[in-house]
Amino acid sequence: MTTWSLRRRPGRALGLVLLGFFTLLVLRRYLHLEPGSCDREVAQRLDWSNLTRPWLRRRQLGLQAKDQNFMLEDSTFWIFGGSVHYFRVPKEYWRDRLLKMKACGLNTLTTYVPWNLHEPERGRFDFSGNLDLEAFVLTAAEIGLWVILRPGPYICSEIDLGGLPSWLLQDSGMRLRTTYKGFTNAVDLYFDHLMPRVVPLQYKHGGPIIAVQVENEYGSYNKDPTYMPYIKKALEDRGIEELLLTSDNKDGLSSGAVDGVLATINLQSQHDLQLLSTFLFTVQGARPKMVMEYWTGWFDSWGGTHNILDSSDYDAVLTEAGDYTAKYLQLRDFFGSISGTPLPPPPDPLPKTAYESVTPAFYLSLWDALKYMEAPINSEQPVNMENLPVNNGNGQSFGYTLYETTIASSGVLSAFVRDRGQVFVNTVSIGFLDYKRKEINIPLIQGYTTLRILVENCGRVNYGEIDNQRKGLIGNIYLNDSPLSKFRIYSLDMKKSFFQRFSFDEWNKVPEAPTFPAFFLGALSVALSPSDTFMKLEGWEKGVVFINGQNLGRYWNIGPQETLYLPGTWLDQGINQVIVFEEKMAGSVIQFTETPHLGRSRYIN
């Protein structure tokens, strides 16, 4: 039998939010509850002050892997699970998504915990708002779902650096996902803050968490044989006492197993299931076979085609906006046919609105905006984003960085740019440097001239070789093979605080021929209660959109993504601020539709 995950891609990956992984937990028999018993149990579980010893005595064994069965206490247990990541869904929509999970016939929620979001700066932790893990887990319990927690520290999850904080890369000798002291010291501090929040939510403490995963797909990384035992001990030493699991794909299953931990598998097809089930038996004998990730979708790449297959094979259960797909309906029919009680009715889809188009009225070129920003960093050589002395010494995680220096001659400019650098002579764009284009010709100039390179961090890889994911200008930049020096560096992370530096008086009316890159400001009017919508930037080329200070995402006319999902909960009744940062070419309006658009790419980049 199966469980799945409804997983959302990161902004750079495109596609449906709940692509992720459709977790398929292979179990033996289903634990039937009397009507209403789950509701009574949840009510007791959430009333922490009234937990009595008789109640706790009923929760002594937890979820166990016995022979070929899973057991919850003394009952054989089937788990039908799906994944919703709290950090990828607006908090106001958590209940909607979890109710849809319950109505599909699922009984277990799986979720990752993103270290990079919970500790954005070393020693500063954030478990508030959309990162309120405890509230999310308790919401699942209230709805009647068990929870399998996947706390990492590395989670993959198609998220920046696999969920590891970018400030770890300030250490030039850093070896991520090993027992290198610089890494384990940081993990220990993070777990010291995370696990006290998790421990009371465990099954044996009256909570809904029935299992915890140890790291994620380490077998395919496998750089330190002492690392996984260290993570296992780090969890147990901090009070984790529920069933422990590992999760590996076909490339890592043989080397990802840990003594005393149940191995589970990740896969994409029924063929893989047959092969890996046999292999799993050779790894740990006659124990329950469990597929932690059954991949139901795949991320798109800029300039590529949109990945989608028939619902009988390989696609998502809910869209990014939480709408039902054909897959959902098929699965609900299936689970309804084997359920001992009627499934709850699915919640109605959230309303969508095509708002009136917005015409940006105000504009500020990047060059004019520089004087409103924090003073630039002066450095003899270029400094990569992670090592910039910003954000209380934690470097820059996301966004753009502008490097400026002075040159006195033309020639060939070469640099190691990560990921994409737009090159300017004074304020005139002359082209781009990226992974493929490492050199550019500087045209004839007269006298001393300002050379500028605006570098975009397009996202750190989440899987594979992650130690080398530093962003910005890496090492020296050369003109005619001679290194340049004396740089002025601006950190353009474009967080909420970034835009607070621009007062209304500093904006200008949009001219007929704007100078790029530039910020464009418009107002979206919402007369009634805000609804979900999709933003379309037809005629614009490439940039980032912000709604009321929230980063909505990146757009790029090479496709395949053509719209950005805008949750209604991010909008206010009345006037909403829309800021577009455009790199090269602006359209005349910003459009809104009731449905997402995904099309063919214009070219492969």
Side-chain angles (χ1 to χ4, degrees):
M1 298 299 175
T2 64
T3 78
W4 53 90
S5 77
L6 322 169
R7 172 192 251 171
R8 179 179 176 178
R9 61 143 180 93
R12 70 183 179 89
L14 311 177
L16 300 176
V17 64
L18 302 177
L19 291 178
F21 297 125
F22 210 58
T23 319
L24 198 141
L25 310 184
V26 181
L27 307 147
R28 305 293 292 186
R29 294 176 56 199
Y30 186 71
L31 173 63
H32 295 287
L33 297 175
E34 294 300 320
S37 65
C38 188
D39 293 339
R40 292 194 303 272
E41 181 177 341
V42 169
Q44 287 177 285
R45 184 189 314 134
L46 297 179
D47 189 359
W48 304 101
S49 62
N50 292 328
L51 285 178
T52 60
R53 289 187 177 181
W55 167 248
L56 289 176
R57 280 200 297 269
R58 291 163 48 194
R59 289 179 169 231
Q60 294 182 339
L61 302 177
L63 185 67
Q64 312 142 72
K66 286 191 174 181
D67 299 324
Q68 298 186 42
N69 295 329
F70 281 94
M71 307 289 291
L72 189 59
E73 294 301 323
D74 57 357
S75 299
T76 308
F77 190 51
W78 274 14
I79 304 175
F80 298 107
S83 188
V84 173
H85 301 155
Y86 59 98
F87 49 96
R88 284 176 164 143
V89 178
K91 184 176 183 179
E92 295 82 357
Y93 292 168
W94 286 350
R95 180 173 296 275
D96 172 78
R97 304 306 194 260
L98 297 181
L99 285 171
K100 288 170 178 173
M101 174 181 285
K102 183 75 172 178
C104 193
L106 308 183
N107 64 5
T108 302
L109 163 72
T110 73
T111 189
Y112 285 122
V113 181
W115 181 8
N116 59 337
L117 302 184
H118 284 299
E119 193 181 0
E121 297 178 6
R122 191 184 295 268
R124 182 175 73 81
F125 297 91
D126 185 359
F127 290 90
S128 63
N130 226 80
L131 295 175
D132 192 341
L133 170 64
E134 293 155 287
F136 182 67
V137 171
L138 291 176
T139 301
E142 182 182 347
I143 288 170
L145 295 167
W146 301 110
V147 176
I148 295 177
L149 197 68
R150 311 175 76 185
Y154 166 84
I155 61 174
C156 186
S157 187
E158 287 68 62
I159 196 172
D160 193 87
L161 205 61
L164 301 178
S166 63
W167 46 257
L168 289 167
L169 297 176
Q170 291 182 322
D171 180 349
S172 61
M174 176 58 65
R175 289 182 285 125
L176 301 172
R177 304 179 73 191
T178 70
T179 52
Y180 174 69
K181 199 65 175 174
F183 184 67
T184 58
N185 284 345
V187 171
D188 287 341
L189 179 62
Y190 171 53
F191 275 8
D192 284 345
H193 283 77
L194 172 63
M195 294 310 157
R197 300 174 181 274
V198 173
V199 167
L201 300 173
Q202 293 180 104
Y203 174 89
K204 293 171 185 171
H205 291 252
I209 296 176
I210 57 175
V212 176
Q213 184 175 300
V214 181
E215 236 260 357
N216 191 68
E217 294 186 331
Y218 192 75
S220 55
Y221 196 73
N222 196 30
K223 292 193 173 182
D224 184 345
T226 65
Y227 174 70
M228 287 294 279
Y230 152 72
I231 295 294
K232 175 177 180 282
K233 187 174 187 299
L235 294 171
E236 293 175 333
D237 285 352
R238 290 166 176 81
I240 299 302
E241 51 186 318
E242 304 300 338
L243 180 68
L244 295 179
L245 314 167
T246 59
S247 174
D248 284 287
N249 58 27
K250 62 182 179 181
D251 299 322
L253 192 57
S254 60
S255 52
V258 179
D259 288 343
V261 178
L262 181 71
T264 72
I265 55 180
N266 305 333
L267 48 83
Q268 177 179 346
S269 68
Q270 289 292 324
H271 177 68
D272 287 344
L273 177 61
Q274 294 171 357
L275 293 177
L276 290 177
S277 292
T278 301
F279 185 74
L280 196 62
F281 180 82
T282 67
V283 172
Q284 58 189 12
R287 303 195 77 193
K289 297 182 180 68
M290 177 170 170
V291 181
M292 178 60 72
E293 298 178 4
Y294 191 88
W295 303 324
T296 63
W298 205 247
F299 45 80
D300 293 347
S301 298
W302 290 111
T305 57
H306 175 50
N307 291 297
I308 189 168
L309 292 175
D310 185 82
S311 63
S312 63
D313 186 5
Y314 189 58
D315 73 342
V317 180
L318 296 177
T319 69
E320 181 177 17
D323 292 332
Y324 301 111
T325 66
K327 174 78 77 177
Y328 181 96
L329 301 177
Q330 290 177 357
L331 289 169
R332 177 174 157 81
D333 288 344
F334 169 72
F335 287 117
S337 70
I338 62 174
S339 175
T341 58
L343 298 181
D348 292 334
L350 296 177
K352 312 292 188 300
T353 298
Y355 292 106
E356 290 294 323
S357 297
V358 170
T359 300
F362 300 97
Y363 144 95
L364 189 63
S365 77
L366 175 61
W367 318 123
D368 290 336
L370 292 180
K371 59 178 172 284
Y372 304 118
M373 298 179 188
E374 293 182 357
I377 298 149
N378 295 304
S379 175
E380 192 66 18
Q381 288 85 30
V383 180
N384 59 286
M385 289 186 179
E386 295 78 7
N387 287 94
L388 290 174
V390 297
N391 296 315
N392 300 313
N394 290 274
Q396 181 179 339
S397 295
F398 307 105
Y400 295 77
T401 302
L402 178 66
Y403 298 84
E404 292 184 347
T405 189
T406 302
I407 59 174
S409 65
S410 60
V412 177
L413 184 77
S414 59
F416 192 63
V417 177
R418 292 294 179 266
D419 294 298
R420 189 172 184 266
Q422 189 172 6
V423 182
F424 300 85
V425 174
N426 291 323
T427 60
V428 178
S429 175
I430 62 171
F432 290 87
L433 295 170
D434 55 25
Y435 283 86
K436 296 179 181 178
R437 293 163 288 194
K438 298 180 180 179
E439 294 182 348
I440 192 170
N441 290 319
I442 302 295
L444 290 174
I445 59 175
Q446 294 182 347
Y448 289 103
T449 301
T450 300
L451 174 73
R452 294 177 164 119
I453 304 178
L454 179 64
V455 180
E456 178 189 15
N457 171 5
C458 296
R460 300 173 184 86
V461 300
N462 62 289
Y463 183 85
E465 294 299 322
I466 56 177
D467 285 344
N468 60 356
Q469 287 299 300
R470 295 170 182 86
K471 301 296 181 177
L473 290 182
I474 311 300
N476 284 320
I477 179 170
Y478 298 88
L479 180 59
N480 298 325
D481 296 326
S482 296
L484 299 177
S485 60
K486 294 182 172 57
F487 285 84
R488 295 176 302 280
I489 306 172
Y490 294 86
S491 173
L492 312 177
D493 56 11
M494 299 193 190
K495 296 184 291 190
K496 278 190 176 182
S497 58
F498 177 89
F499 294 104
Q500 292 170 357
R501 302 187 186 108
F502 304 161
S503 68
F504 182 76
D505 294 339
E506 289 147 2
W507 293 85
N508 307 304
K509 290 186 177 180
V510 178
E512 288 188 11
T515 298
F516 293 96
F519 300 92
F520 293 82
L521 173 64
L524 170 61
S525 178
V526 177
L528 303 176
S529 179
S531 298
D532 289 1
T533 189
F534 298 88
M535 179 184 289
K536 186 173 184 179
L537 290 112
E538 190 170 359
W540 301 72
E541 184 162 322
K542 184 179 185 299
V544 188
V545 182
F546 304 85
I547 303 291
N548 296 328
Q550 292 264 23
N551 188 330
L552 189 63
R554 181 184 288 118
Y555 66 91
W556 197 353
N557 66 355
I558 65 174
Q561 179 170 322
E562 298 178 358
T563 54
L564 291 168
Y565 169 56
L566 172 53
T569 188
W570 285 12
L571 296 173
D572 300 322
Q573 187 172 355
I575 299 300
N576 294 268
Q577 181 195 70
V578 181
I579 293 179
V580 179
F581 177 68
E582 168 58 52
E583 296 180 13
K584 288 195 67 178
M585 181 179 70
S588 58
V589 298
I590 301 166
Q591 300 171 304
F592 299 89
T593 73
E594 295 183 3
T595 56
H597 294 175
L598 286 159
R600 294 182 178 273
S601 63
R602 299 188 182 182
Y603 57 87
I604 301 298
N605 185 48

